[in-house]
């Protein structure tokens, strides 16, 4: 991978230069190297524990995307990414090294907060831009071990989400994947309507039972209602899957 050309590709997609995009490039580079892949593999799977800028770099450089369902977002607010070749029994987990330049310093955070609040001076904005540019340059140049921790994980690769037919939520009337419709007291409702039915807070574990009868998660007999009522019938007209204080969850 030519790092200069790769970063240019990432920025064309991400639409601005930032340390997070540079960090994501180094993560992708390290993952492909550790897995012995010279080029992205169609069978690659990624679980990302953040939705920050680095994820755009991963999409560009690995070919994994949300739309292809081989990029899975499990938000834990941390710069951690696990990679597998599909069907593999082991993977590679890569995380940002604590106290590294991946994370904003207190000074950079203070500058950013003034800029976002609209109280920054021209000098503040210049200092922030310079500090970010310096971080980008360092992130693209330093040895990987200065910014990344790479470990093997002995867990099997996750399977991509399956395409699923849709049925209608009986509350809002919107076609919703049968994998996410929930049987709430005998009524099939989407996640938003299910949450609203409980006043905005679901009881613990409440989202893990009472699935649509055509969902692969449905085992029968675990509904908390009095039977299944569908909307307007089973439809196949689409698929709908679907810096710490160091502020360490953020890498811009």
């Amino acid at each position: 991978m030519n790092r200069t050309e790769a970063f240019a590709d990432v920025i064309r997609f991400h639409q601005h230069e930032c340390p997070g995009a540079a960090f994501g490039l180094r993560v992708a580079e390290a993952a492909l190297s550790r897995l012995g892949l010279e080029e992205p593999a169609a069978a690659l799977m990624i679980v990302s524990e953040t939705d920050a800028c680095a994820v755009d770099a991963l999409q560009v450089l690995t070919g994994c995307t949300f739309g292809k369902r081989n990029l899975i977002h499990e938000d834990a607010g941390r710069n951690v990414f696990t990679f597998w070749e599909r069907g593999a029994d082991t993977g590679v987990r890569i995380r940002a090294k604590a106290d590294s330049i991946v994370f904003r310093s207190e000074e950079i955070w203070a500058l950013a907060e003034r800029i976002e609040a609209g109280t920054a001076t021209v000098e503040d904005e210049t200092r922030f831009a310079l500090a970010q540019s310096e971080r980008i340059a360092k992130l693209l140049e330093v040895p990987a071990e200065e910014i990344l921790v790479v470990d093997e994980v002995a867990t099997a690769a996750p399977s991509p989400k399956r395409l699923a037919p849709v049925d209608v939520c009986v509350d809002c009337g919107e076609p919703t994947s049968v994998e996410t419709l929930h049987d709430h007291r005998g009524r099939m409702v989407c996640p938003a309507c299910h949450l609203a039915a409980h006043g905005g807070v679901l009881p613990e574990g409440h989202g893990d039972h009472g699935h649509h009868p055509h969902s692969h998660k449905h085992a029968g007999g675990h509904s908390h209602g009095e039977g299944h009522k569908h909307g307007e019938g089973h439809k196949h007209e689409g698929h709908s899957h679907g810096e710490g204080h160091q502020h360490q969850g953020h890498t811009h």
Side-chain angles (χ1 to χ4, degrees):
M1 179 186 297
N2 180 300
R3 195 174 292 165
T4 300
E5 293 177 0
F7 191 56
D9 289 341
V10 169
I11 297 312
R12 274 192 290 272
F13 178 75
H14 190 56
Q15 299 190 357
H16 72 274
E17 291 193 8
C18 67
F23 167 67
L25 181 152
R26 298 303 301 272
V27 171
E29 196 176 64
L32 293 174
S33 175
R34 186 67 174 261
L35 292 171
L37 302 172
E38 293 184 7
E39 297 292 338
L44 201 62
M45 293 290 300
I46 302 176
V47 170
S48 172
E49 298 183 32
T50 180
D51 60 358
C53 301
V55 183
D56 276 359
L58 297 183
Q59 292 187 96
V60 171
L61 301 175
T62 68
C64 293
T65 68
F66 292 116
K68 288 188 286 193
R69 304 176 307 285
N70 54 359
L71 173 58
I72 300 170
H73 179 220
E74 294 181 354
D75 192 9
R78 56 191 184 188
N79 293 295
V80 178
F81 312 89
T82 308
F83 301 76
W84 295 263
E85 289 189 80
R86 193 173 300 179
D89 292 327
T90 60
V92 176
R93 185 177 188 268
I94 301 178
R95 60 183 171 87
K97 191 171 185 178
D99 301 316
S100 71
I101 58 168
V102 172
F103 303 108
R104 290 177 175 181
S105 66
E106 294 297 330
E107 179 187 11
I108 294 174
W109 269 111
L111 290 168
E113 288 167 359
R114 289 201 290 275
I115 290 170
E116 292 175 4
T119 61
T121 64
V122 172
E123 181 183 2
D124 286 337
E125 293 177 351
T126 300
R127 287 169 58 200
F128 179 77
L130 179 60
Q132 293 291 78
S133 293
E134 289 175 346
R135 287 176 66 213
I136 291 169
K138 289 179 181 178
L139 284 163
L140 293 174
E141 294 172 1
V142 298
E145 57 269 22
E146 290 190 18
I147 57 174
L148 304 177
V149 178
V150 182
D151 296 303
E152 183 174 289
V153 292
T155 56
S159 298
K161 283 185 178 179
R162 300 192 304 183
L163 296 181
V166 299
D167 202 350
V168 175
C169 169
V170 298
D171 281 3
C172 68
E174 295 188 358
T176 304
S177 170
V178 298
E179 298 296 349
T180 58
L181 282 169
H182 192 93
D183 179 5
H184 177 68
R185 299 174 182 172
R187 306 172 73 253
M188 283 297 152
V189 295
C190 69
C193 290
H194 185 217
L195 183 63
H198 285 279
V201 180
L202 290 180
E204 185 176 354
H206 200 67
D208 297 330
H209 62 283
H211 300 291
H212 190 284
H214 292 105
S215 166
H216 75 275
K217 294 176 287 191
H218 181 70
H222 56 205
S223 151
H224 58 283
E226 300 174 355
H228 297 291
K229 286 183 188 174
H230 301 190
E232 298 174 359
H234 199 51
K235 302 177 189 287
H236 290 262
E237 61 214 25
H239 54 268
S240 57
H241 260 118
E243 281 178 325
H245 200 356
Q246 226 179 309
H247 300 264
Q248 295 195 13
H250 204 66
T251 60
H252 277 228

